[in-house]
Amino acid sequence: MDRLTRSAYSTLRVREQGSVLFAQIHRPEAGNAINATLVHELDDVFARAARAEHTTVVVLEGLPEVFCFGADFGVISDAARTGQDTSFDPEPMFELFRRMAYADVLTVAHVRGKANAGGVGLVAACDVVIADDSATFSLSELLFGLIPAVVLPFLIRRTGFQRAHYLAATTQTVDARQAHEWGLVDALGTPSEALLKRHLQRLGRLSKKGVTRYKAYLRELSPLTEHTKDVALATNRQVFGDPDNVRAIRRYAEEGVFPWETATPDATATPDATATPDVTATPNPSPQPSPPQSPQPSPSETTVEPQHQRATAPPPALSPRALGSPRFRAAHGVDYAYAAGAMYKGIASVDLVTALGNAGMLGFFGTGGLALDEVEDAIIRIKKGLDPGRAFGMNLLNNPDDPGQEARTVELYLRHGVRSVEASAYLRPTPALVHYRLAGLGTDAEGRLRQDHHIIAKVSRTEVAEHFLRPAPAPLVRRLLDDGLITPEQAELGARLPLAQDLCVEADSAGHTDGGNAYVLMPAMRALRDRVTREQGYSEEGGEAAVRIGAAGGIGTPEAALAALTLGADFLVTGSINQCTVEAGTSDAVKDLLQGLGVHDTEYAPAGDMFEVGARVQAVRKSTFFPARAQKLYDLYVRHDSLDDLDPRTRATLENKYFKRSLDEVWEETRAHLARRHPARLAEVERSPKQKMAHVFRWYFVHSTRLALRGADQRVDYQIHCGPALGAFNTWVRGTDLEPWRGRRVDVIAERLLRETAALLTERLAAYAALAADSTPPSSDPTSATAPGGPAPLATAE
């Protein structure tokens, strides 16, 4: 077709790319509302594309925050105020929709943000609809006595009569996922740009002749009759010619007051509903705010108030899918920026990982303490249980005592195509970890970087985090090259990328923890990330080397999740709350105990796997002696050089109360294990009485874990890694269907946590917006403080 320039249209931004024409609605000053000029220009674009010899696809887009809000109420209000005719001919809009549906070109709607009223009509008329997770859809006309008469014939073609009727009658807003289920959206994903690109690659192969014949067939197969058009136009003219409706529109546009409201001086006490007609308006509109959306029906979907001449403009209700980083979701192939961290011995089980994966979330299988054949069996079962295209991850543990085991684990992951790993207990990079990262690098046919392996590095110290923020150490890369484990291309690509593109900052978490404070750690980690990004020359905004920072530890309630997001978390990682679910791979006895925990029922204790260096884990203390007994063993180890140094009373206490067997029996069992698994180390241990004592004491940690996993009677010795987040979660769900652990499904609690977090965020933003807009001077009366439960101001005016 003849070339179109950016200046050809006043309401559109148009560009051509091969056989595809992109048309972006660009009326930011009016919230991408529709006026007569926009209708005329859109019709011209689609008509010219249909006639063009080589144009086969037209992509219709809006702004990132709003696709299209429908007609411009400001135009109608201006006409009424100046005594002009407020009735408009709806036929151009109907003919535009019909051209989009049946013209000799494939039409694609790329929807991000809000589509309301006539904007829904534009979507429904397209052949293919691709939406971002941020997309919402509403028909709010009936609130003003209006009817979406021009939209409905095209919407019914897509969704069926009842769903179109439901949208119009209830005036509800539906999110992208619901619209996808109903057929209004064909493909859903974030980032939607990548999804659109994949569709255009396929659509671009079609010939003009084939598209023309296909669309002609569709016109015959599913025509819109002239009777349908006549009824739609007559109904539209009737409702927009009604003086009561015109007065309601004008009152809203000029005063920000709905038809059922009584005007107030500040016009802030309003219901959360609005309307936008689907008609064209007169050209040359005065700048108006975006027409508002429909009400939200549930407590978890905070509503959107109009922005026209309002002191406050609460934000739209957020979808849980909108929380966190879209790039995290895209990199790991998930719908939510949410992961469940690995819990050792398969407590983060096959069932747990598959349940989360099929729900569009990321779960990491807990490999700690398992043999390689058990890990491989888990991978096979997880892949079998996942729906096509769903994601999963595996734990990768640093193993300084047996680096060969770590290397064999990576080889196993490479063989089975594991795309995401959670790297735990690393103080610095290892050859195996670098091997995993670099082996996933490459370029596609067009020379673009491909990253198939993703590391989520769990960190709680900045000096450790910096190792992951920088490229893999050159000596390790050279070693891998010399061993033939990576290619020169992979080595070169790795030199410009961080070792991990996801850092998971662990605060007061279960298991191994430094007991850090998230309010301190998150800003420090973000500042470190930004500094290293500048020093390394990484792209700071979403480039191929951009690093995301997530939060873990203490997340068990919507308030905690919101705090993490407010601190800048790109994704959330939960742990303790998942241990008390149906899918968790631990005993019912442990779950019964966990269900009753409060926020003060955990304690720090020595870690068995790093006993000698004094590392700590957080574990349950309620109903157990494990934390106290573990600490006693560590104190004995520090004070004595050998088992022979123990006094008879202490030795008897250990044998009768802790171990339930003699120390000699414990040593023989430990010795047999070392001889079988680590024969070289056995000789070293036998030469050192101090090391022998350490291994005997470490046996208790293994034994206490086994007792818990089996649900044995010796409950006072259960070792259960857990953080206070579970106590907070138990309090939050008390009195609900999630109070008993047998009602806790890991995907259900994740979805509810995210949904309530999104609702809470929307509520808080609305509350702070209202506070910021409140012109009432602060009271000096100390008794007039914010009511309990009310929002605290972010700043106090001086």
Side-chain angles (χ1 to χ4, degrees):
M1 61 182 295
D2 50 327
R3 292 289 169 184
L4 300 173
T5 65
R6 189 175 289 269
S7 61
Y9 301 110
S10 63
T11 64
L12 300 174
R13 297 292 183 266
V14 178
R15 62 185 175 89
E16 294 177 78
Q17 185 175 319
S19 61
V20 180
L21 178 69
F22 293 83
Q24 181 190 41
I25 302 172
H26 194 268
R27 296 195 70 220
E29 76 288 351
N32 260 20
I34 299 172
N35 64 3
T37 303
L38 177 62
V39 173
H40 170 75
E41 292 183 350
L42 279 173
D43 189 69
D44 184 67
V45 165
F46 285 105
R48 295 172 69 177
R51 294 193 303 266
E53 182 178 354
H54 300 294
T55 302
T56 57
V57 179
V58 176
V59 177
L60 181 62
E61 300 179 298
L63 301 172
E65 299 81 15
V66 54
F67 177 77
C68 176
F69 257 136
D72 194 326
F73 270 19
V75 173
I76 300 173
S77 175
D78 290 346
R81 186 174 61 252
T82 57
Q84 300 177 34
D85 184 7
T86 58
S87 62
F88 302 103
D89 183 7
E91 188 169 10
M93 177 73 87
F94 190 95
E95 290 302 326
L96 169 62
F97 290 168
R98 182 147 66 176
R99 187 186 299 280
M100 294 169 65
Y102 295 126
D104 295 341
V105 66
L106 290 170
T107 53
V108 178
H110 178 207
V111 187
R112 297 166 295 173
K114 307 170 190 67
N116 189 40
V120 173
L122 291 170
V123 173
C126 284
D127 297 306
V128 177
V129 178
I130 295 170
D132 189 272
D133 286 329
S134 66
T136 61
F137 304 85
S138 56
L139 295 176
S140 51
E141 289 89 341
L142 204 56
L143 294 168
F144 280 74
L146 307 173
I147 296 174
V150 174
V151 170
L152 282 173
F154 297 88
L155 184 60
I156 289 170
R157 291 169 67 246
R158 271 199 158 265
T159 66
F161 180 88
Q162 182 56 36
R163 284 169 175 161
H165 167 45
Y166 180 83
L167 274 176
T170 65
T171 70
Q172 285 197 78
T173 297
V174 299
D175 62 19
R177 184 174 186 177
Q178 186 69 69
H180 186 225
E181 292 175 0
W182 286 2
L184 179 54
V185 171
D186 297 307
L188 171 65
T190 299
S192 54
E193 290 83 358
L195 189 61
L196 173 65
K197 183 176 181 179
R198 291 198 296 272
H199 278 75
L200 292 181
Q201 286 174 343
R202 297 195 67 85
L203 295 176
R205 301 168 185 166
L206 306 180
S207 68
K208 183 70 173 185
K209 181 187 291 186
V211 169
T212 299
R213 287 175 174 170
Y214 176 64
K215 294 298 289 285
Y217 172 68
L218 290 183
R219 288 194 292 271
E220 298 298 324
L221 186 66
S222 178
L224 281 175
T225 66
E226 287 303 310
H227 173 72
T228 299
K229 174 182 175 180
D230 292 344
V231 172
L233 299 187
T235 302
N236 190 285
R237 291 182 179 117
Q238 180 185 31
V239 296
F240 280 94
D242 187 323
D244 291 337
N245 293 347
V246 173
R247 279 193 293 272
I249 292 172
R250 180 179 176 184
R251 188 164 175 255
Y252 166 72
E254 296 179 2
E255 302 175 37
V257 179
F258 290 102
W260 57 87
E261 289 184 293
T262 300
T264 58
D266 62 1
T268 59
T270 61
D272 41 57
T274 62
T276 305
D278 64 337
V279 298
T280 55
T282 55
N284 304 317
S286 59
Q288 296 289 335
S290 302
Q293 279 192 296
S294 304
Q296 309 298 305
S298 71
S300 66
E301 296 178 278
T302 303
T303 56
V304 185
E305 296 189 50
Q307 298 181 14
H308 179 70
Q309 297 186 9
R310 296 279 179 127
T312 62
L318 290 170
S319 164
R321 295 174 178 235
L323 299 174
S325 166
R327 292 186 174 86
F328 177 89
R329 299 193 292 270
H332 295 278
V334 293
D335 299 332
Y336 301 87
Y338 179 96
M343 293 177 284
Y344 76 148
K345 291 283 188 179
I347 295 175
S349 64
V350 169
D351 289 343
L352 187 150
V353 173
T354 54
L356 285 170
N358 287 330
M361 304 171 198
L362 188 60
F364 288 95
F365 180 79
T367 62
L370 299 182
L372 269 184
D373 58 345
E374 295 176 288
V375 175
E376 182 169 28
D377 177 68
I379 295 173
I380 293 170
R381 290 164 56 204
I382 289 170
K383 293 170 76 173
K384 184 177 180 180
L386 285 173
D387 296 335
R390 290 306 189 179
F392 74 99
M394 301 294 291
N395 190 207
L396 181 61
L397 283 163
N398 182 29
N399 195 338
D401 292 334
D402 189 358
Q405 176 78 356
E406 184 185 339
R408 289 188 293 273
T409 302
V410 165
E411 291 167 2
L412 176 68
Y413 291 171
L414 297 180
R415 191 162 65 249
H416 284 279
V418 174
R419 298 189 73 251
S420 299
V421 300
E422 181 188 64
S424 304
Y426 284 87
L427 298 179
R428 59 186 56 84
T430 64
L433 185 66
V434 174
H435 180 200
Y436 175 81
R437 168 64 163 152
L438 298 190
L441 299 179
T443 55
D444 61 18
E446 299 179 10
R448 292 170 301 195
L449 177 67
R450 190 189 73 248
Q451 302 185 68
D452 293 336
H453 296 163
H454 302 279
I455 295 172
I456 296 183
K458 300 183 77 172
V459 296
S460 57
R461 303 184 66 85
T462 52
E463 63 269 23
V464 175
E466 186 162 354
H467 288 302
F468 288 99
L469 289 168
R470 297 194 183 276
L476 294 186
V477 176
R478 284 195 298 270
R479 176 175 164 184
L480 294 170
L481 271 172
D482 293 342
D483 292 342
L485 295 176
I486 62 172
T487 67
E489 180 193 30
Q490 289 169 336
E492 188 277 327
L493 291 172
R496 68 181 198 225
L497 298 170
L499 180 58
Q501 287 191 273
D502 294 290
L503 292 186
C504 177
V505 180
E506 284 198 292
D508 195 21
S509 62
H512 296 84
T513 177
D514 287 330
N517 187 317
Y519 299 113
V520 175
L521 282 175
M522 285 295 292
M525 292 292 185
R526 287 173 58 83
L528 174 65
R529 186 268 312 271
D530 295 343
R531 174 173 66 81
V532 174
T533 294
R534 291 191 298 271
E535 291 174 358
Q536 295 290 156
Y538 301 148
S539 171
E540 295 192 23
E541 294 296 333
E544 60 189 20
V547 177
R548 300 168 289 266
I549 295 183
I555 300 175
T557 63
E559 291 82 359
L562 178 55
L565 293 168
T566 304
L567 286 168
D570 294 309
F571 57 96
L572 303 174
V573 178
T574 58
S576 297
I577 64 174
N578 304 315
Q579 189 173 188
C580 192
T581 61
V582 172
E583 296 87 356
T586 190
S587 66
D588 288 359
V590 166
K591 296 175 188 180
D592 289 339
L593 193 157
L594 291 174
Q595 178 186 304
L597 292 189
V599 295
H600 301 297
D601 292 331
T602 61
E603 188 174 338
Y604 291 104
D609 56 345
M610 292 186 280
F611 180 77
E612 295 91 326
V613 298
R616 316 277 288 174
V617 295
Q618 188 163 198
V620 173
R621 72 173 178 180
K622 181 180 180 180
S623 302
T624 80
F625 293 154
F626 169 76
R629 289 180 171 178
Q631 186 62 50
K632 177 68 172 179
L633 290 172
Y634 181 71
D635 292 343
L636 291 172
Y637 170 77
V638 171
R639 294 201 307 267
H640 300 284
D641 292 327
S642 73
L643 293 173
D644 294 335
D645 291 344
L646 299 176
D647 63 80
R649 182 178 179 180
T650 298
R651 189 180 185 101
T653 298
L654 296 182
E655 292 180 336
N656 296 329
K657 293 185 177 181
Y658 288 36
F659 297 97
K660 304 292 184 181
R661 64 198 71 189
S662 71
L663 297 185
D664 291 337
E665 289 175 317
V666 172
W667 167 242
E668 287 305 317
E669 184 177 331
T670 302
R671 187 182 187 284
H673 170 75
L674 289 172
R676 184 173 63 254
R677 298 287 299 273
H678 308 288
R681 193 185 311 161
L682 175 59
E684 179 184 346
V685 171
E686 288 185 315
R687 288 194 299 269
S688 169
K690 185 84 168 180
Q691 287 195 46
K692 178 180 177 180
M693 178 171 59
H695 277 78
V696 168
F697 286 174
R698 287 172 69 169
W699 177 93
Y700 173 75
F701 293 84
V702 176
H703 178 63
S704 60
T705 296
R706 290 172 180 163
L707 292 173
L709 293 176
R710 292 200 305 261
D713 291 337
Q714 199 175 330
R715 295 193 179 193
V716 294
D717 286 305
Y718 281 7
Q719 179 181 184
I720 309 168
H721 292 179
C722 185
L726 181 57
F729 178 86
N730 289 338
T731 301
W732 176 49
V733 300
R734 187 170 298 145
T736 74
D737 58 317
L738 295 182
E739 181 173 3
W741 70 259
R742 287 175 175 81
R744 299 182 186 181
R745 296 281 179 179
V746 67
D747 54 329
V748 172
I749 68 174
E751 189 278 335
R752 190 168 303 183
L753 178 63
L754 292 174
R755 173 161 49 85
E756 294 301 323
T757 300
L760 181 62
L761 175 55
T762 305
E763 173 190 317
R764 294 291 168 85
L765 290 174
Y768 289 131
L771 285 172
D774 187 358
S775 59
T776 303
S779 171
S780 60
D781 182 359
T783 66
S784 63
T786 303
L794 294 176
T796 302
E798 296 184 351

